[in-house]
């Protein structure tokens, strides 16, 4: 199951609940590989390699396997890029800042063009005013020279305006493209690259917003589904990362299709998903979760390249409902504990906070 990640000021801090023996084994593997490859054992690099050997971060694992197969040297630059991509929000922030700066520069260039056009128009107006004053009562020969001067000035003005018009058209196209790029970068910053659904950042922002709304009585209930793909690591190890990616995309699609328009399905991390369900009470959320669980279990996974039937996948789902005034962490923890209970009772099932409460009260074994 995916490790939990909390975002603080753009940095995702990891929690590693492995048992001491398991953690020591993973640490030993990570440090040995780092020494073998000449990677400095400072905290940033250690985080990357520990997470690699933990193998609960398929996106990171896939990228590092590619780099290893290509014989890439794990320099400080490579380490920094991996850390920024998988453990901080820096990559998306830099993309938005870069595009925004380009847009700002282009708009400044357009303002300069408008200023030039304005200055040219004022100069032309002064020429016309001067001509108007001098032409009255002027001798024919002098009047001809004045008219020639005005015609030359008019031609220059037309040429200048034509050039400015072309430049403004190019700048307008550039602004349009940059705005599209900015929208795309912002969307990418909120979207999980593999599954195409909302990412953990969206979850963190949305749960804050929805709990605030619930506290103001703007919602008629707020429920949370924590969803985990059963035996995903074994499936990945057996059939490969490409098939694992196919499973992640399938689950993401079925989650989106299985909830109403107000609900938000997100990839929480690894093979774990979270669904926020505003205006839905816990009993209705359980019913929705059960429908999703059955639908996923009814699908058979097929290797599209070989047509090999890889069997079925199943989900374990924990469900909680927000209690006004509680910390967001408590809300998530109840759903997570219900998910662990579903795992402990054999997987492929939905467990709600009501069952957790009964278990704690001793009403169920």
């Amino acid at each position: 199951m995916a490790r939990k990640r909390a975002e603080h000021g753009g940095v995702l801090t990891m929690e590693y609940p492995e048992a001491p023996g398991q953690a020591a084994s993973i640490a030993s593997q990570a440090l040995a590989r780092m020494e073998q490859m000449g990677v400095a054992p400072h905290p940033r690099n250690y985080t990357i390699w520990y997470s690699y050997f933990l193998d609960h971060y398929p996106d990171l694992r896939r990228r590092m396997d590619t780099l290893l197969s290509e014989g890439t040297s794990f320099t400080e630059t490579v380490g920094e890029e991996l850390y920024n991509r998988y453990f901080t929000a820096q990559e998306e922030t830099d993309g938005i800042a870069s595009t925004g700066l380009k847009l700002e520069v282009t708009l400044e260039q357009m303002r300069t063009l408008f200023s030039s056009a304005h200055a040219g128009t004022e100069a032309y107006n002064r020429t016309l005013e001067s001509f108007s004053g001098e032409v009255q009562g002027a001798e024919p020969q002098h009047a001809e020279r004045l008219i020639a001067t005005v015609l030359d000035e008019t031609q220059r003005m037309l040429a200048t305006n034509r050039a400015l018009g072309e430049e403004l058209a190019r700048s307008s196209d550039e602004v349009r493209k940059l705005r599209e790029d900015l929208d795309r970068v912002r969307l990418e910053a909120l979207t999980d690259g593999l599954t195409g659904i909302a990412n953990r950042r969206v979850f963190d922002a949305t749960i804050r917003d929805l709990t605030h709304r619930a506290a103001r009585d703007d919602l008629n209930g707020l429920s949370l589904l924590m969803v985990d793909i059963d035996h995903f690591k074994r499936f990945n190890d057996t059939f490969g990362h490409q098939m694992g990616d196919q499973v992640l995309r399938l689950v993401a699609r079925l989650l989106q299709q299985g909830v109403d328009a107000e609900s938000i399905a997100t990839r929480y991390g690894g093979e774990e998903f979270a669904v926020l369900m505003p205006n839905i009470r816990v009993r209705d959320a359980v019913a929705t979760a059960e429908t999703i669980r059955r639908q996923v279990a009814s699908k058979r996974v097929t290797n599209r390249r070989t047509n090999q039937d890889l069997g079925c996948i199943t989900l374990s789902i924990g469900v909680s409902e927000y209690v006004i005034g509680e910390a967001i962490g408590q809300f998530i923890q109840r759903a997570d504990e219900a998910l662990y209970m579903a795992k402990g009772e054999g997987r492929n099932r939905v467990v709600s906070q009501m069952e957790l409460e009964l278990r704690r009260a001793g009403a169920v074994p």
Side-chain angles (χ1 to χ4, degrees):
M1 210 167 75
R3 300 286 75 88
K4 302 299 175 291
R5 307 194 298 173
E7 188 168 344
H8 300 289
V11 178
L12 297 175
T13 59
M14 303 296 179
E15 298 175 18
Y16 298 101
E18 289 73 45
Q22 182 188 8
S25 174
I26 294 168
S28 177
Q29 293 177 72
L31 290 170
R33 177 61 70 89
M34 290 166 69
E35 182 178 2
Q36 177 190 346
M37 300 191 68
V39 177
H42 54 62
R44 185 189 69 200
N45 287 338
Y46 179 75
T47 298
I48 294 168
W49 285 95
Y50 184 96
S51 300
Y52 173 79
F53 282 103
L54 181 62
D55 200 19
H56 280 294
Y57 303 99
D59 296 342
L60 171 65
R61 178 92 186 193
R62 189 180 304 107
R63 177 60 181 153
M64 291 184 67
D65 282 342
T66 299
L67 293 174
L68 289 167
S69 68
E70 293 172 349
T72 301
S73 177
F74 277 75
T75 62
E76 286 298 297
T77 300
V78 171
E80 183 178 5
E81 289 174 354
L82 287 170
Y83 190 82
N84 285 340
R85 181 172 182 178
Y86 296 102
F87 299 96
T88 80
Q90 193 62 45
E91 187 177 73
E92 293 88 349
T93 301
D94 288 348
I96 291 172
S98 175
T99 305
L101 180 60
K102 290 176 184 175
L103 181 58
E104 189 175 319
V105 168
T106 303
L107 290 173
E108 182 59 37
Q109 290 172 344
M110 291 182 72
R111 283 192 289 271
T112 301
L113 289 172
F114 281 121
S115 296
S116 297
H118 179 66
T121 301
E122 286 188 335
Y124 183 65
N125 284 338
R126 286 193 297 270
T127 299
L128 290 178
E129 288 172 0
S130 175
F131 168 78
S132 177
E134 291 184 39
V135 78
Q136 294 179 8
E139 295 292 332
Q141 190 175 0
H142 182 54
E144 286 180 7
R145 286 196 301 272
L146 288 173
I147 291 170
T149 299
V150 169
L151 287 175
D152 288 343
E153 190 68 26
T154 301
Q155 291 297 324
R156 281 195 294 272
M157 187 66 186
L158 287 172
T160 299
N161 284 345
R162 191 179 302 114
L164 284 171
E166 292 171 356
E167 189 62 35
L168 284 171
R170 282 193 293 271
S171 295
S172 295
D173 286 342
E174 183 67 16
V175 167
R176 178 183 55 79
K177 291 174 183 175
L178 286 170
R179 288 192 185 281
E180 290 173 355
D181 287 346
L182 194 57
D183 289 342
R184 176 184 54 77
V185 171
R186 283 173 172 160
L187 180 61
E188 288 175 356
L190 302 175
T191 304
D192 176 62
L194 177 63
T195 64
I197 66 172
N199 61 16
R200 173 64 184 271
R201 186 177 303 172
V202 173
F203 174 85
D204 289 340
T206 304
I207 197 170
R208 286 194 297 268
D209 176 61
L210 291 177
T211 52
H212 289 158
R213 288 176 57 192
R216 297 194 304 265
D217 289 330
D218 289 346
L219 297 177
N220 181 27
L222 171 61
S223 293
L224 169 64
L225 311 184
M226 295 299 292
V227 182
D228 193 79
I229 303 173
D230 296 327
H231 302 299
F232 181 75
K233 184 179 183 302
R234 186 170 67 190
F235 185 97
N236 238 11
D237 292 344
T238 303
F239 300 113
H241 289 305
Q242 287 188 338
M243 294 311 305
D245 290 351
Q246 184 177 321
V247 167
L248 289 169
R249 284 190 284 265
L250 170 66
V251 171
R253 177 166 54 82
L254 294 176
L255 281 173
Q256 281 193 308
Q257 293 174 354
V259 298
D260 66 6
E262 270 197 292
S263 297
I264 301 171
T266 67
R267 187 177 177 197
Y268 196 71
E271 70 272 25
E272 194 168 5
F273 297 83
V275 183
L276 286 161
M277 308 179 76
N279 291 314
I280 294 181
R281 307 306 298 262
V282 66
R283 292 185 186 276
D284 293 329
V286 168
T288 298
E290 187 59 39
T291 300
I292 292 170
R293 184 198 64 78
R294 287 197 301 267
Q295 189 173 20
V296 171
S298 70
K299 304 291 184 183
R300 300 198 68 82
V301 180
T302 303
N303 186 322
R304 295 168 185 165
R305 186 171 54 83
T306 64
N307 288 324
Q308 178 187 4
D309 185 343
L310 307 182
C312 299
I313 56 170
T314 61
L315 302 178
S316 294
I317 304 177
V319 187
S320 67
E321 182 175 351
Y322 181 65
V323 176
I324 294 176
E326 73 176 339
I328 291 175
Q330 291 175 293
F331 179 31
I332 297 173
Q333 183 178 353
R334 280 201 310 284
D336 217 29
E337 289 175 352
L339 172 58
Y340 273 95
M341 184 174 171
K343 292 282 189 184
E345 293 184 351
R347 297 179 169 83
N348 189 25
R349 65 191 63 216
V350 177
V351 171
S352 75
Q353 66 181 38
M354 297 179 292
E355 293 167 84
L356 273 178
E357 290 162 2
L358 289 172
R359 169 73 62 85
R360 287 168 178 164
V364 295

